[in-house]
């Protein structure tokens, strides 16, 4: 294992790293390591050559660049016209401390194909390491790609990830996220709609407790006419946890008659918890329909009173409300996802006795 | 036989005294109507009885069979036997009526076995679409569906006393008949005591009051039999001001 070569770290002076914990990161603490990966259901579509680059033309930051240089890549090519009904499951375990791992998943869905992929990242709380995952999705003409990532990293594992998708004519790309883990877990998602009629839907459920921090950056980039994007991110923070959501809808000059929606809602469940939401719009053409909405607030007191007036104790009322808040996202996850296990994990995190400590 | 007793109740909202000394005693199986113009304090009375945040009690007492309701939190008042049917039932996104009822029954240490049948039976009695119980509470429901939902919950939870805060507002005549009839039936079947707050006598076509109280400016100014409501129809509230 070679030590990671000296690299120039970004700083929080850059807008894109504002609010991040990048200043705490010491790359020299990590040597290059690997995740232990189990894959189920991919045999018929996994290819040996690397398809890296099908959706990512340039590296958006140093971490994507490092991933490009060191990646353990899984490449999936869904042949033209093939629809795979069962989900492909990819589970990555990080078993060692003081390593940085670079998993990369490339999904190349050819014309009129369909696939669902569920990718899970797991480590124990005792693991002090860094994961730098990259996802690339290319949805060719009329292809349908349904992807869910589940962050179940331990409380001392960092994540700095990047997701990039490119949607071609009349394709549908659905990118879903459930993030419960990580110490500092950042994900930057760039969805490009590059041909007419392409559509992308994104949903995320994130819930941080203890001293965790979740950091999401999303870009919905419309490059062709009549493209459609819809994003719903819902997060909660408790204890002294923090979360940041920064989203940009960018409608380029060529993207007339496009529709783009972005909604980010955050619940702060403790006095010391903090959530920030920064939605942005950049529209370079007329005749588009765009909206963005963002909220940060505590549990609605009217809702709580309603449930309490039926005889439900306050802590259970609050738990029901938070569950209800997340249900809107859970209902939109791929139908193959193990929703009950995710609900149990959320419930565990809601229990005040499970306050996480380092 | 239970008794809900309100004595000398005074309360304020945002520094303004709204209830200026209310005295009321409701016994099991009785229906008491509280009528009054806008701003009389009728909804404030229901909110204070149930312990809604934002109201400050300045004096007096509310007891259920001698137990001080004002000293315990809202959820314990509900468990003790009070049930508020809200004028504008709150939307609770993502929380379904059946999930809520399961928690409410569990908190009462009543099992949830047979709950689905019970809900279906209660829904059937008031023409409420039982499919709506597994949808988010009050979200995208019509006024009539919301009040049917409230009434269905009342039927399942079987409180000792129901406080109906303008059950008759925001719903069509069919829904009003179904809901009012169900409450009236509960006064016979389970000896429910009712405090029905309303502007209009049309509620009484199905829910028969034993006693009518006229409330003006935070006080009960007159009490009597059902004939008082008829007199009100003729004379208006001005006669009681």
């Amino acid at each position: 294992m070679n030590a990671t070569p000296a690299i120039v770290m970004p700083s929080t002076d850059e807008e894109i790293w504002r609010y991040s914990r990048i200043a705490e990161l010491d790359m020299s603490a990590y040597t290059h390591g690997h995740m232990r990966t189990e894959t189920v259901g991919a045999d018929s579509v996994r290819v040996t050559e690397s398809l890296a680059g099908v959706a990512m033309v340039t590296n958006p930051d140093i971490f994507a660049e490092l991933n490009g240089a060191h990646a353990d890549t899984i490449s999936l090519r869904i042949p033209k016209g093939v629809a795979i009904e069962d989900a492909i499951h990819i589970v990555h375990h990080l078993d060692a401390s003081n390593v940085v791992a670079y998993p990369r998943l490339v999904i190349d869905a050819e014309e009129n194909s369909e696939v669902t992929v569920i990718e899970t990242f797991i480590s124990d709380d005792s693991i002090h390491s860094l994961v730098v995952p990259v996802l690339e999705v290319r949805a060719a003409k009329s292809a349908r790609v349904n992807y869910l990532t589940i962050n179940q990293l331990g409380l001392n594992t960092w994540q700095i990830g990047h997701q990039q998708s490119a949607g071609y004519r009349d394709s549908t790309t659905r990118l879903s996220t459930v993030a419960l883990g990580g110490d500092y877990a950042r994900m930057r998602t760039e969805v490009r709609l590059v041909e007419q009629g392409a559509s992308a839907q994104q949903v995320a459920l994130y819930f941080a407790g203890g001293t965790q921090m979740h950091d999401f950056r999303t870009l919905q980039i419309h490059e062709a006419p009549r493209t459609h994007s819809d994003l719903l991110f819902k997060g909660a923070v408790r204890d002294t946890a923090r979360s940041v959501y920064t989203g940009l809808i960018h409608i380029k000059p060529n993207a007339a008659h496009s529709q783009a929606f972005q909604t980010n809602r955050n619940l702060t469940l403790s006095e010391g918890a903090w959530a920030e939401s920064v939605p942005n719009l950049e529209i370079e053409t007329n005749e588009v329909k765009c909206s963005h909405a963002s909220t940060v607030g505590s549990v609605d007191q009217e809702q709580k009173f309603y449930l309490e007036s039926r005889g439900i104790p306050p802590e259970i009322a609050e738990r029901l409300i938070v569950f209800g808040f997340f249900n809107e996202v859970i209902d939109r996850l791929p139908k193959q996802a193990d929703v009950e296990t995710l609900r149990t994990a959320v419930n565990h995190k809601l229990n005040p006795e499970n306050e996480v400590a380092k | 036989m239970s008794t809900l007793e309100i004595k000398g109740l005074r309360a304020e909202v945002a520094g303004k005294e709204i209830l200026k000394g209310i005295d009321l005693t409701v016994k099991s199986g009785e229906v008491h109507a509280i009528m009054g113009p806008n701003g009389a304090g009728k909804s404030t009375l229901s909110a204070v009885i149930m312990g809604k945040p934002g109201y400050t009690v300045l004096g007096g007492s509310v007891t259920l069979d001698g137990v001080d309701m004002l000293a315990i939190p809202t959820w314990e008042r509900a468990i003790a036997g009070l049930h508020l049917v809200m004028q504008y039932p709150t939307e609770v996104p993502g929380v379904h009526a059946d999930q809520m009822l399961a928690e409410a029954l569990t908190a009462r240490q009543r099992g949830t076995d047979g709950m689905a049948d019970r809900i279906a039976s209660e829904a059937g009695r008031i023409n409420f679409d039982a499919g709506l119980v597994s949808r988010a509470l009050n979200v995208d429901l019509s006024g009539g569906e919301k009040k049917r939902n409230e009434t269905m919950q009342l039927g399942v939870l079987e409180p000792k006393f129901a406080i109906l805060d303008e059950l008759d507002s925001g719903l069509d005549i069919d829904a009003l008949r179904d809901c009012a009839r169900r409450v009236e039936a509960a006064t016979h079947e389970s000896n429910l005591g009712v405090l029905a707050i309303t502007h209009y006598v049309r509620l009484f076509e199905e829910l028969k009051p034993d006693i009518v109280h006229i409330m003006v400016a935070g006080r009960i100014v007159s009490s009597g039999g059902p004939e008082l409501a008829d007199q009100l129809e003729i004379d208006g509230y001005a006669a009681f001001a």
Side-chain angles (χ1 to χ4, degrees):
Chain A
M1 293 295 142
N2 295 324
T4 307
I7 49 170
V8 179
M9 279 290 123
S11 87
T12 51
D13 294 341
E14 298 167 57
E15 178 58 31
I16 194 164
W17 292 96
R18 195 176 163 209
Y19 302 118
S20 79
R21 285 171 59 186
I22 194 70
E24 295 172 38
L25 182 64
D26 175 11
M27 287 297 280
S28 70
Y30 306 114
T31 55
H32 180 200
H34 304 274
M35 301 189 88
R36 179 168 54 84
T37 300
E38 299 157 9
T39 304
V40 176
D43 294 349
S44 64
V45 292
R46 187 165 179 181
V47 294
T48 47
E49 80 261 33
S50 172
L51 299 176
V54 296
M56 228 164 116
V57 188
T58 54
N59 288 313
D61 59 35
I62 183 68
F63 297 98
E65 198 175 322
L66 285 166
N67 181 290
H70 301 291
D72 298 311
T73 303
I74 293 174
S75 296
L76 307 178
R77 178 185 283 139
I78 323 305
K80 181 176 174 180
V82 170
I84 301 174
E85 198 163 315
D86 292 335
I88 294 170
H89 291 268
I90 299 169
V91 182
H92 305 281
H93 297 267
L94 191 54
D95 299 327
S97 278
N98 306 316
V99 299
V100 50
Y102 298 102
R104 191 183 194 101
L105 172 63
V106 186
I107 303 170
D108 186 9
E110 293 186 342
E111 184 176 331
N112 196 31
S113 66
E114 181 172 326
V115 68
T116 299
V117 181
I118 299 175
E119 188 177 29
T120 306
F121 297 85
I122 299 174
S123 66
D124 284 345
D125 287 344
S126 62
I127 302 295
H128 291 252
S129 283
L130 169 65
V131 187
V132 181
V134 167
L135 170 75
E136 288 189 64
V137 173
R138 186 177 83 104
K141 183 180 173 186
S142 302
R144 296 156 318 269
V145 176
N146 207 354
Y147 170 85
L148 165 64
T149 181
I150 302 171
N151 163 1
Q152 291 180 345
L153 293 169
L155 296 172
N156 289 298
T157 301
W158 274 45
Q159 172 193 283
I160 300 178
H162 180 72
Q163 300 175 328
Q164 177 101 41
S165 73
Y168 292 83
R169 185 167 181 128
D170 298 332
S171 63
T172 303
T173 306
R174 295 174 63 198
L175 302 180
S176 310
T177 299
V178 173
L180 302 174
D183 176 6
Y184 170 70
R186 173 186 172 95
M187 184 60 77
R188 181 174 188 274
T189 302
E190 191 171 322
V191 166
R192 287 174 58 226
L193 300 164
V194 296
E195 281 186 0
Q196 185 160 191
S199 165
Q201 282 110 49
Q202 292 169 262
V203 294
L205 178 172
Y206 51 102
F207 188 1
T211 58
Q212 286 183 286
M213 178 172 186
H214 289 146
D215 182 351
F216 290 97
R217 309 270 152 164
T218 67
L219 292 103
Q220 295 155 261
I221 305 170
H222 292 249
E223 300 177 3
R226 295 187 169 77
T227 46
H228 176 271
S229 70
D230 190 3
L231 176 148
L232 174 67
F233 272 46
K234 293 185 116 176
V237 280
R238 54 171 284 196
D239 310 323
T240 58
R242 289 177 286 162
S243 74
V244 176
Y245 170 82
T246 306
L248 174 67
I249 291 173
H250 188 176
I251 311 280
K252 294 204 169 175
N254 188 36
H257 305 292
S258 288
Q259 298 190 346
F261 308 103
Q262 183 192 86
T263 303
N264 174 231
R265 305 209 180 279
N266 298 278
L267 279 180
T268 50
L269 302 177
S270 310
E271 285 280 310
W274 179 88
E276 180 68 75
S277 181
V278 188
N280 290 294
L281 281 174
E282 186 177 345
I283 299 174
E284 298 183 82
T285 183
N286 295 320
E287 302 179 73
V288 296
K289 195 174 167 192
C290 290
S291 72
H292 60 185
S294 93
T295 53
V296 176
S298 51
V299 167
D300 184 279
Q301 291 307 302
E302 296 272 339
Q303 294 177 13
K304 214 171 160 205
F305 175 70
Y306 184 80
L307 298 181
E308 287 173 17
S309 75
R310 315 288 123 158
I312 297 174
E315 61 277 10
I316 292 175
E318 186 160 311
R319 206 180 296 183
L320 277 175
I321 292 166
V322 178
F323 248 98
F325 172 78
F326 282 139
N327 260 338
E328 195 184 356
V329 171
I330 289 175
D331 286 345
R332 286 162 70 169
L333 296 178
K335 63 182 190 301
Q336 298 94 333
D338 183 356
V339 166
E340 282 319 304
T341 299
L342 294 175
R343 283 211 169 92
T344 303
V346 170
N347 197 32
H348 180 79
K349 207 151 181 172
L350 271 171
N351 191 331
E353 284 150 32
N354 296 327
E355 176 167 355
V356 287
K358 282 203 185 182
Chain B
M1 173 66 77
S2 290
T3 306
L4 175 64
E5 191 167 32
I6 300 166
K7 274 188 180 165
L9 186 62
R10 292 170 51 236
E12 65 172 25
V13 183
K16 185 165 187 270
E17 188 169 346
I18 305 291
L19 301 183
K20 297 172 180 169
I22 302 288
D23 294 287
L24 264 180
T25 300
V26 185
K27 291 191 160 62
S28 291
E30 292 180 351
V31 176
H32 288 238
I34 297 191
M35 305 191 69
N38 283 328
K42 305 187 300 296
S43 286
T44 297
L45 175 62
S46 70
V48 170
I49 292 172
M50 213 61 211
K52 187 171 185 176
Y55 298 81
T56 308
V57 174
L58 301 173
S61 66
V62 178
T63 57
L64 172 55
D65 294 334
V67 177
D68 182 2
M69 291 291 107
L70 301 180
I72 59 179
T74 294
W75 73 278
E76 289 182 16
R77 298 182 198 188
I79 301 230
L82 301 184
H83 187 93
L84 174 62
V85 170
M86 290 191 188
Q87 181 178 7
Y88 303 110
T90 311
E91 294 185 6
V92 192
V95 179
H96 303 167
D98 50 0
Q99 295 170 330
M100 183 199 68
L101 285 172
E103 293 292 353
L105 290 170
T106 303
R108 287 164 174 78
Q109 291 170 342
R110 284 161 57 185
T112 54
D113 290 351
M115 186 186 82
D117 292 342
R118 187 69 201 275
I119 289 172
S121 150
E122 284 296 335
R125 288 184 71 170
I126 54 171
N127 299 307
F128 180 61
D129 176 0
L132 296 177
V133 302
S134 43
R135 288 217 335 229
L137 273 166
N138 300 317
V139 176
D140 298 329
L141 295 191
S142 71
E145 286 167 339
K146 284 182 184 176
K147 294 298 172 78
R148 283 188 166 107
N149 188 11
E150 293 283 282
T151 306
M152 178 275 291
Q153 294 172 32
L154 178 76
V156 171
L157 293 175
E158 293 185 290
K160 291 174 179 156
F161 291 94
I163 299 133
L164 313 179
D165 188 9
E166 305 205 14
L167 177 67
D168 50 350
S169 74
L171 79 176
D172 57 84
I173 200 83
D174 290 344
L176 175 59
R177 188 187 57 235
D178 290 340
C179 294
R181 210 174 259 179
R182 179 66 190 92
V183 176
E184 172 71 23
T187 64
H188 307 295
E189 293 171 14
S190 57
N191 223 13
L192 177 73
V194 177
L195 194 57
I197 290 165
T198 183
H199 281 288
Y200 307 108
V201 294
R202 66 173 187 169
L203 175 66
F204 307 144
E205 287 167 21
E206 298 291 344
L207 179 62
K208 303 295 180 192
D210 299 292
I211 299 172
V212 174
H213 307 275
I214 309 292
M215 185 168 171
V216 177
R219 287 188 178 88
I220 289 173
V221 293
S222 183
S223 298
E227 71 285 353
L228 192 57
D230 300 330
Q231 190 193 334
L232 192 65
E233 279 290 279
I234 298 161
D235 299 342
Y237 291 117
F240 298 94

